[in-house]
Amino acid sequence: MALLLETRAIIPILCVIGLMVYLSKQKKQDLILITFGLVIALTYEYLMVLSGMLYFKQSPFPFWLVLLWCALLLTLNTSMQFLNKLPWFFSLLVCAISAPASYWAGARFGVITIAVPLLQFWLVYGVAWSCMFNLIMYLNKRFAQNSNQSSPKI
């Protein structure tokens, strides 16, 4: 939706994020995840723009991308939980293939510009994105373990 609507998607994405938080069974963990996950993810996106790998129509990146990151992060404890159950190298591989594919789709729709040869983008961006996202997943898992250990047992 955001890919095609860009800034017109902000209100619908905010509604989806609000619904995801409202329906969440782990609100505290999700809010912690959004807080640290966004810092990591947006720093990564900013570095990729600075490196000249890609460009967005709005500099350094559009607000709807921030919201997409929020929505993606909120799926880590639900629909994307399967990634945590994969061996680490499979999780890295899945992310290294799927992340560049979504950005490539964005480029095909004219939403972003990939400023390097596609193979180079796929390799560099995919590996870096995969490492960044798996770091977020690892930290999320650690926060969940720490909150489970610190909560009182009834």
Side-chain angles (χ1 to χ4, degrees):
M1 173 173 57
L3 179 66
L4 299 174
L5 297 177
E6 297 182 60
T7 55
R8 294 182 310 266
I10 290 174
I11 299 297
I13 297 171
L14 281 170
C15 292
V16 168
I17 291 169
L19 185 61
M20 291 171 82
V21 171
Y22 176 76
L23 294 174
S24 173
K25 294 179 177 158
Q26 64 280 335
K27 284 179 182 51
K28 182 180 176 184
Q29 183 180 348
D30 283 345
L31 293 176
I32 291 169
L33 173 60
I34 287 175
T35 302
F36 76 80
L38 266 182
V39 170
I40 294 169
L42 296 178
T43 299
Y44 169 78
E45 296 289 2
Y46 182 69
L47 291 173
M48 291 297 110
V49 169
L50 279 181
S51 74
M53 289 290 274
L54 55 91
Y55 299 99
F56 294 93
K57 291 178 183 177
Q58 296 150 346
S59 182
F61 43 77
F63 182 64
W64 58 261
L65 183 70
V66 176
L67 297 178
L68 278 183
W69 265 109
C70 288
L72 177 64
L73 291 169
L74 285 170
T75 65
L76 278 181
N77 294 316
T78 54
S79 61
M80 289 185 53
Q81 198 172 30
F82 76 95
L83 286 172
N84 285 318
K85 296 175 183 169
L86 294 175
W88 65 270
F89 51 90
F90 281 133
S91 178
L92 285 170
L93 183 62
V94 167
C95 291
I97 292 170
S98 59
S102 65
Y103 284 77
W104 178 68
R108 303 267 304 177
F109 282 101
V111 175
I112 65 170
T113 301
I114 296 174
V116 295
L118 189 57
L119 181 59
Q120 178 185 349
F121 174 78
W122 211 284
L123 292 173
V124 173
Y125 197 85
V127 169
W129 196 97
S130 181
C131 291
M132 175 272 306
F133 196 69
N134 276 271
L135 171 65
I136 292 171
M137 289 190 320
Y138 171 78
L139 292 173
N140 182 52
K141 193 184 312 183
R142 295 293 304 213
F143 284 132
Q145 290 169 347
N146 289 342
S147 71
N148 288 338
Q149 291 172 357
S150 64
S151 61
K153 307 289 185 224
I154 300 177

